[in-house]
Amino acid sequence: MSAQDFHAKHAEQLDHAVTAIDAREYWSPFPETPSKSVYGEDAAPAGEAAFKALLGQDYPLDQPGILEHVGTEVSPFGLELGIRYPRSEPAELIAAAKVGMIAWRDAGPAVRAGVALEVLHRINARSFEFAHAVQHTTGQAFVMAFQAGGPHAQDRGLEAIAYAYAEQSRQPRSARWAKPQRKGDPLVMDKTFTAVPRGVSLVVACNTFPTWNTYPGLFASLVTGNPVIVKPHPGAILPLALTVSIAREVLTEAGFDANLVTLAVEAPGKPIAADLATHPDIRIVDFTGSTEFGDWLESNARQAVVYTEKAGLNTVVVDSTDDYKGLLRNLSFSLSLYSGQMCTTPQNILVPAGGVRTDAGDRTPEAFAADLGEALDKLLGDPARAAGTLGAIVNDGVKQRLADAETVGAVAHASTPVEDPEHPGATIRTPLVVRLDAKDEETYTREWFGPISFVISTDSTEHSLDIFRTSVQAKGALTASVYSTDPAVIDAAREAALTAGVHLSENLTGGVFVNQSAAFSDFHGTGANPAATAALTDPAYVTGRFHIVQSRRHVPA
Amino acid sequence: MSAQDFHAKHAEQLDHAVTAIDAREYWSPFPETPSKSVYGEDAAPAGEAAFKALLGQDYPLDQPGILEHVGTEVSPFGLELGIRYPRSEPAELIAAAKVGMIAWRDAGPAVRAGVALEVLHRINARSFEFAHAVQHTTGQAFVMAFQAGGPHAQDRGLEAIAYAYAEQSRQPRSARWAKPQRKGDPLVMDKTFTAVPRGVSLVVACNTFPTWNTYPGLFASLVTGNPVIVKPHPGAILPLALTVSIAREVLTEAGFDANLVTLAVEAPGKPIAADLATHPDIRIVDFTGSTEFGDWLESNARQAVVYTEKAGLNTVVVDSTDDYKGLLRNLSFSLSLYSGQMCTTPQNILVPAGGVRTDAGDRTPEAFAADLGEALDKLLGDPARAAGTLGAIVNDGVKQRLADAETVGAVAHASTPVEDPEHPGATIRTPLVVRLDAKDEETYTREWFGPISFVISTDSTEHSLDIFRTSVQAKGALTASVYSTDPAVIDAAREAALTAGVHLSENLTGGVFVNQSAAFSDFHGTGANPAATAALTDPAYVTGRFHIVQSRRHVPA
């Protein structure tokens, strides 16, 4: 198919997406259910077979500057992966990226969006293959790997495409300007407005959500006309190698240069992100990962516009509830999902010393922590089901942090190993809950990435809100949540969240969890606190990726 | 009137403005003609009287932290000004700015836009007073001071209000999200989306266009919920003191804190912009001025989002024309208007050594430069009319640069003094035109702000386009223009302009000049080259000034 065909094929969905980002109601273009009725009879076994065929092989990716093939991935589930990826000379990737840039610019936003949508649809058709790739690089359990690594990531990608297309389409392609004159005919000019790309874009991906956190930047940059170099985390290359392969395949079919999208793999133990991100020809950087490196990029990649999603102090303010069981069920699932290895998992749970007023009586911080521990035990009592929620520990850093966290306070719920009958080699751990006091701020104002949460005793809910506001203003957060039956407390929590610049979930006791955000409705991050410089995705996330350049001329009389 | 009344009063114009920014056809809400039929019988004398009443006085501005009154302005027309402005302790202005911020945030975009529009309308009603203030601080001739400092600046302010309002209104204030479930009722949540301001905003203004270059940032920040501290250039305080006074008056009437807009005057010879711009509580910086300080701000004001408009190499590529007289008339006026003291005035005029093909025969670079000199003499032959075009030299820096420029090449048109019968004390100079060769790049790749232009001999038009593209990519430009009768050259010039990231005017021979841009139609700057980090104004210019923060909650069954 040609580029125009791709645009025509997806035009209706693009229009729908543009409507959806403005309405922010429910819309999920890519079905999240890994079922045969949606993805076809053969999709599951075909996806598994495609994944297995890659194991132990040189990954087939024909791009410029290949120096050698390297393999750095280790499955948290113990599967031997042994895939070796082509490692290219970064300077050659940058040079190659620029070759096709003018043709890509000249194609215009609509054609670019069509090509990007075709990429997403081909990714979607291979969601089972992606699910295995994500599972065995991140440690997510299979169903989560399918959903978060597949359709949910694809939804976010489409959301980015919609914003990129909409913002470039705001100005007309041309306009006639006619200025009345006091005497005689008006002054008339024709004007042309062209969206021009900022330049070569670099996406630095993370270990835990290689697709979900990469697709917004990748597609936002691509649709605004920029070539994209994808730098995967050395522990999670496959999901992005697949993505890059598909993008190159579609670009080629559409008549564009495949090198508009390339993969920048690093040699074992030799990070390349810092050098790449500060290269003068890299003009856009998207990063998900540690606060330390994110801050470094913001300070040092001065030639680029830098979008970072880092870490923060996700906070829960517990004041009162009329559904204590629902609260405990919801919160214990939030702590357990993917072993708390989400940038959105709650860490600091603030409980007034005077106790939480509940429909099961008042609960002191100590009692509350014990109840939360019991809820975790109940949720994770069956090993097979527990493994399906917890997934596996992604790397040794998380294990070390767990060991450290056990010593900082009174352990209310110990982190214990879980045996997954399906994956005997996996490292699986239940969440650790430690009790702290409000004065232990040296401990809880650091981020403890992994299944580590603190029940923190405060003087009062007012004190809790104060800690929430000041700690998030200082250190950032991606999520916040409040439980209260008192409208005045809810109002105060909303005010604190607005001041701290963090999204707030209120009284979650059902099937919505604070660590999950829905594309096309929930914003992920705000840009208003130190945890992230941008939301994924909104207009601010795309407007810096292109510029409008105009030309004007008199209209012949 | 209340805040709601202001909104209602101006709602229709706001809607019109939002439509206009998308259409980019002709629209000028504030009439540019300084005539009685538009502004009323008494407007001119009343404006002059109001201006004169301020001379030699302490300027009446009641704001926090006043330490003393200082006067640093010198009229380029020789008028004794003697106005002393309150100088406030900067830390007190910042502290005071934050007091009213939450109420201003809670007012919402529509109310804020209404208040801002009322400010603009009151400014518009005092356009004659502003014209005198702008004339005697910038050196612009009266009519230009009226237009560029008055209605044109007001149009740009309204354009910024429209972008700020539109971008904040893209997301709904609330949405209901209903996710279908496989069994039972859908999951339903109500979500609230709030635009929250980034924080205290600083506008660092310039000497030459105190209102035109300040209003976009001032109104964009204010309408997105941010308090604004206006830091005028010490040579052009009055136009911004008037602006701040009016803003404070309207804010107070609307029930908001007047300290949402304050004036940060500096003591003579003691610049405060660098300290202010790097204060941790300053979260937005808008700057117009030198490349050196603009670059410094971009590197050092890391806690803020920084919008700069600096300097560049505005370039004219001359290939051929079928209206040589029109070309010379148009270009000589562009060089003369306000003595070339516009950030948009052409500096580098590239002419092929083989000559320009014209309807008056082929013209070598030497002949072209001589013809341009003659056109300047013709335009500026009558001293009174010349003064009305040239205005006065704004400061000694420009005079020194003129002296330096006379020595860098062959003078094709000397800069000579003009006696303005109306203002015998004014320093008025005609434009200097110097001939250079393409190899003199050390000279012409620097910016020579003022009435200084170079006719540069190149090997060919292709060579001219190459110099245009590479020099603008490296050093930036705010304008570019091309003259050619050859469609292939026009195409190549458009391509070069897209690559260099600069707006292009083609074959201007009539009443439109390359150094003028029309609000609501032309973009000013692109952000795509080093001359500016942003266009004034477009969506990218406002989306970084606020964030969307959401809250969500279950809908009771």
Side-chain angles (χ1 to χ4, degrees):
Chain A
M1 282 215 246
S2 77
Q4 289 295 345
D5 293 335
F6 289 140
H7 171 61
K9 178 180 170 188
H10 300 296
E12 195 181 323
Q13 189 173 57
L14 181 60
D15 286 349
H16 196 147
V18 169
T19 307
I21 54 174
D22 283 350
R24 305 213 75 82
E25 295 168 356
Y26 173 78
W27 190 55
S28 177
F30 296 107
E32 70 180 2
T33 315
S35 77
K36 293 176 183 173
S37 63
V38 175
Y39 285 92
E41 281 294 326
D42 294 336
E48 187 172 4
F51 168 70
K52 287 198 166 154
L54 295 167
L55 301 180
Q57 307 293 319
D58 281 357
Y59 183 86
L61 181 68
D62 182 23
Q63 66 176 22
I66 296 176
L67 301 167
E68 61 172 337
H69 282 69
V70 295
T72 46
E73 294 165 318
V74 176
S75 169
F77 289 103
L79 180 70
E80 187 68 46
L81 297 172
I83 313 172
R84 293 170 302 274
Y85 301 90
R87 180 172 81 79
S88 289
E89 169 60 41
E92 292 206 36
L93 295 181
I94 292 172
K98 293 195 281 188
V99 172
M101 202 165 154
I102 286 183
W104 188 237
R105 177 198 75 197
D106 288 345
V111 163
R112 288 195 295 266
V115 169
L117 271 158
E118 179 65 18
V119 174
L120 270 186
H121 277 262
R122 292 193 194 182
I123 289 171
N124 176 251
R126 290 166 66 176
S127 288
F128 281 93
E129 186 183 354
F130 273 87
H132 290 283
V134 169
Q135 176 181 24
H136 284 288
T137 49
T138 67
Q140 290 175 23
F142 183 78
V143 171
M144 179 171 177
F146 181 92
Q147 295 189 331
H152 292 175
Q154 295 150 21
D155 280 357
R156 282 285 177 198
L158 180 48
E159 194 180 11
I161 292 171
Y163 276 111
Y165 173 73
E167 288 298 328
Q168 291 174 98
S169 308
R170 252 179 236 313
Q171 286 78 33
R173 189 78 184 78
S174 62
R176 178 159 291 189
W177 175 87
K179 180 178 180 176
Q181 299 296 293
R182 266 188 297 178
K183 296 177 207 163
D185 293 334
L187 269 177
V188 185
M189 300 200 87
D190 274 347
K191 306 187 180 188
T192 305
F193 304 96
T194 305
V196 302
R198 189 174 162 88
V200 183
S201 178
L202 172 71
V203 181
V204 181
C206 67
N207 198 351
T208 47
F209 289 91
T211 56
W212 197 95
N213 275 103
T214 293
Y215 287 1
L218 167 62
F219 287 106
S221 276
L222 203 57
V223 174
T224 49
N226 306 281
V228 183
I229 298 173
V230 178
K231 210 298 287 175
H233 189 281
I237 303 173
L238 185 55
L240 293 175
L242 294 170
T243 302
V244 167
S245 291
I246 294 169
R248 293 171 61 83
E249 168 190 300
V250 174
L251 283 164
T252 304
E253 282 179 42
F256 296 104
D257 192 328
N259 295 330
L260 290 167
V261 179
T262 57
L263 189 73
V265 169
E266 61 198 32
K270 296 196 172 157
I272 57 171
D275 277 356
L276 258 175
T278 51
H279 189 288
D281 287 343
I282 295 291
R283 303 281 288 136
I284 302 171
V285 175
D286 285 275
F287 168 75
T288 311
S290 73
T291 297
E292 191 187 353
F293 190 54
D295 287 346
W296 187 92
L297 285 171
E298 290 170 30
S299 293
N300 290 278
R302 307 302 321 288
Q303 84 293 347
V305 57
V306 177
Y307 302 94
T308 61
E309 196 219 280
K310 300 170 292 187
L313 309 175
N314 301 320
T315 302
V316 184
V317 173
V318 188
D319 171 71
S320 52
T321 180
D322 55 14
D323 181 6
Y324 191 50
K325 273 191 185 166
L327 180 161
L328 292 170
R329 204 168 45 226
N330 186 286
L331 188 54
S332 61
F333 185 80
S334 278
L335 301 189
S336 302
L337 185 62
Y338 187 27
S339 303
Q341 298 170 125
M342 300 176 73
C343 54
T344 50
T345 305
Q347 172 182 302
N348 294 341
I349 304 165
L350 302 166
V351 179
V356 181
R357 294 181 311 285
T358 86
D359 53 332
D362 285 5
R363 310 300 289 162
T364 63
E366 188 168 358
F368 179 86
D371 294 343
L372 184 60
E374 262 180 51
L376 286 166
D377 287 339
K378 197 171 159 190
L379 175 72
L380 305 170
D382 172 63
R385 281 193 52 216
T389 301
L390 293 168
I393 299 298
V394 65
N395 58 36
D396 289 343
V398 176
K399 274 186 273 186
Q400 184 57 52
R401 215 171 291 123
L402 261 175
D404 293 347
E406 279 168 5
T407 67
V408 300
V411 173
H413 184 268
S415 176
T416 54
V418 176
E419 289 294 327
D420 178 1
E422 255 190 81
H423 301 101
T427 305
I428 306 178
R429 294 286 183 84
T430 64
L432 172 72
V433 178
V434 174
R435 284 202 296 113
L436 295 177
D437 189 82
K439 71 178 186 323
D440 300 325
E441 55 186 2
E442 205 180 309
T443 300
Y444 67 75
T445 59
R446 281 182 286 153
E447 202 215 9
W448 296 76
F449 185 79
I452 300 162
S453 297
F454 305 117
V455 171
I456 301 163
S457 177
T458 70
D459 296 346
S460 62
T461 292
E462 200 185 336
H463 188 205
S464 297
L465 289 169
D466 194 48
I467 291 173
F468 162 48
R469 187 179 51 247
T470 54
S471 65
V472 172
Q473 276 189 307
K475 300 297 179 76
L478 286 163
T479 64
S481 127
V482 60
Y483 289 93
S484 182
T485 56
D486 182 347
V489 170
I490 295 291
D491 278 350
R494 288 179 191 168
E495 181 57 42
L498 291 177
T499 303
V502 63
H503 302 311
L504 180 70
S505 293
E506 301 164 12
N507 292 319
L508 295 186
T509 53
V512 172
F513 303 94
V514 67
N515 32 350
Q516 295 182 320
S517 70
F520 292 99
S521 181
D522 294 318
F523 292 104
H524 176 77
T526 64
N529 70 59
T533 62
L536 311 177
T537 58
D538 69 1
Y541 188 65
V542 301
T543 52
R545 296 174 197 263
F546 70 98
H547 304 284
I548 298 292
V549 176
Q550 75 173 54
S551 60
R552 59 180 182 175
R553 63 209 68 90
H554 288 292
V555 174
Chain B
M1 283 215 244
S2 78
Q4 289 295 343
D5 293 335
F6 289 139
H7 170 61
K9 177 179 171 189
H10 300 296
E12 197 181 321
Q13 188 173 54
L14 181 61
D15 286 349
H16 196 148
V18 168
T19 307
I21 54 174
D22 283 350
R24 305 212 76 80
E25 296 167 356
Y26 174 79
W27 190 54
S28 176
F30 295 107
E32 69 180 3
T33 316
S35 77
K36 293 177 185 173
S37 64
V38 174
Y39 286 92
E41 281 295 326
D42 294 336
E48 188 174 4
F51 167 70
K52 288 199 165 152
L54 295 166
L55 301 181
Q57 307 293 319
D58 281 356
Y59 183 87
L61 181 68
D62 181 23
Q63 66 174 24
I66 296 176
L67 302 167
E68 59 172 337
H69 281 70
V70 296
T72 46
E73 294 165 319
V74 176
S75 169
F77 290 102
L79 181 71
E80 187 68 43
L81 296 171
I83 312 172
R84 294 171 300 274
Y85 301 90
R87 180 172 81 80
S88 289
E89 169 59 42
E92 291 205 37
L93 295 182
I94 294 172
K98 294 195 282 186
V99 172
M101 201 166 155
I102 286 182
W104 187 236
R105 177 198 75 197
D106 289 345
V111 163
R112 289 195 294 265
V115 169
L117 272 158
E118 178 67 16
V119 173
L120 270 186
H121 278 261
R122 292 194 193 181
I123 288 172
N124 175 251
R126 290 166 66 177
S127 288
F128 281 92
E129 184 181 355
F130 272 86
H132 290 282
V134 170
Q135 175 180 24
H136 285 286
T137 49
T138 67
Q140 291 175 25
F142 183 77
V143 172
M144 177 171 178
F146 182 91
Q147 294 189 331
H152 292 175
Q154 296 151 18
D155 279 358
R156 282 285 176 198
L158 180 48
E159 195 180 10
I161 292 171
Y163 276 111
Y165 173 73
E167 288 297 328
Q168 290 174 98
S169 309
R170 252 177 235 315
Q171 286 79 34
R173 190 76 184 81
S174 63
R176 177 158 292 189
W177 176 87
K179 180 178 181 176
Q181 300 296 291
R182 266 188 297 178
K183 296 177 205 162
D185 293 333
L187 270 177
V188 185
M189 300 200 87
D190 274 347
K191 305 186 179 187
T192 305
F193 304 97
T194 305
V196 301
R198 191 174 160 89
V200 183
S201 180
L202 172 71
V203 181
V204 181
C206 67
N207 198 350
T208 46
F209 289 90
T211 56
W212 197 96
N213 275 102
T214 293
Y215 287 1
L218 166 62
F219 287 106
S221 276
L222 202 57
V223 175
T224 49
N226 305 282
V228 183
I229 297 173
V230 178
K231 209 299 285 175
H233 189 282
I237 304 172
L238 184 55
L240 293 175
L242 294 171
T243 302
V244 167
S245 291
I246 293 169
R248 293 171 62 83
E249 167 191 301
V250 174
L251 282 164
T252 304
E253 281 180 41
F256 297 104
D257 192 325
N259 295 330
L260 290 167
V261 179
T262 57
L263 189 73
V265 168
E266 61 197 33
K270 297 196 173 157
I272 55 171
D275 276 358
L276 258 176
T278 52
H279 189 287
D281 287 342
I282 294 291
R283 304 281 288 135
I284 303 170
V285 175
D286 284 275
F287 168 75
T288 309
S290 73
T291 297
E292 192 187 353
F293 191 54
D295 288 346
W296 187 92
L297 285 171
E298 290 171 30
S299 293
N300 290 279
R302 307 304 320 287
Q303 84 293 347
V305 58
V306 177
Y307 303 93
T308 61
E309 197 219 279
K310 301 170 289 187
L313 309 175
N314 301 320
T315 302
V316 183
V317 172
V318 188
D319 171 71
S320 52
T321 182
D322 54 13
D323 181 7
Y324 191 48
K325 272 192 185 163
L327 180 162
L328 292 170
R329 203 169 43 227
N330 187 285
L331 189 53
S332 61
F333 185 80
S334 277
L335 302 189
S336 301
L337 184 62
Y338 186 27
S339 305
Q341 297 169 126
M342 301 175 73
C343 53
T344 51
T345 305
Q347 173 182 301
N348 294 340
I349 304 165
L350 301 166
V351 179
V356 181
R357 294 182 309 285
T358 86
D359 52 334
D362 284 7
R363 309 301 288 163
T364 63
E366 190 168 356
F368 179 86
D371 295 342
L372 185 59
E374 263 180 49
L376 285 166
D377 287 340
K378 197 169 159 190
L379 176 72
L380 307 171
D382 172 64
R385 281 192 52 217
T389 300
L390 293 167
I393 299 297
V394 65
N395 59 37
D396 290 342
V398 176
K399 274 186 273 184
Q400 184 56 54
R401 216 172 289 123
L402 260 175
D404 294 347
E406 280 167 6
T407 67
V408 299
V411 172
H413 184 268
S415 176
T416 52
V418 176
E419 289 294 328
D420 178 1
E422 255 190 80
H423 301 100
T427 304
I428 307 178
R429 294 290 181 83
T430 65
L432 173 71
V433 179
V434 174
R435 285 201 297 112
L436 295 177
D437 189 82
K439 70 176 186 327
D440 300 325
E441 56 186 2
E442 206 179 307
T443 301
Y444 67 76
T445 59
R446 281 183 285 150
E447 203 215 11
W448 296 76
F449 185 79
I452 299 163
S453 298
F454 305 116
V455 171
I456 302 164
S457 175
T458 69
D459 296 346
S460 62
T461 292
E462 200 184 335
H463 188 205
S464 296
L465 289 169
D466 194 47
I467 291 173
F468 162 47
R469 188 180 49 247
T470 54
S471 64
V472 173
Q473 277 190 306
K475 299 297 178 74
L478 287 163
T479 64
S481 130
V482 61
Y483 289 94
S484 182
T485 57
D486 182 347
V489 169
I490 295 291
D491 278 350
R494 287 179 191 169
E495 180 58 40
L498 290 178
T499 303
V502 64
H503 302 311
L504 180 71
S505 293
E506 301 165 12
N507 292 319
L508 295 186
T509 52
V512 172
F513 303 95
V514 66
N515 31 348
Q516 295 182 320
S517 69
F520 292 100
S521 181
D522 294 317
F523 291 103
H524 176 77
T526 65
N529 71 58
T533 63
L536 311 177
T537 56
D538 69 0
Y541 187 66
V542 301
T543 53
R545 296 175 196 263
F546 69 98
H547 304 284
I548 298 291
V549 176
Q550 74 174 55
S551 60
R552 59 180 182 174
R553 64 209 68 88
H554 287 292
V555 175

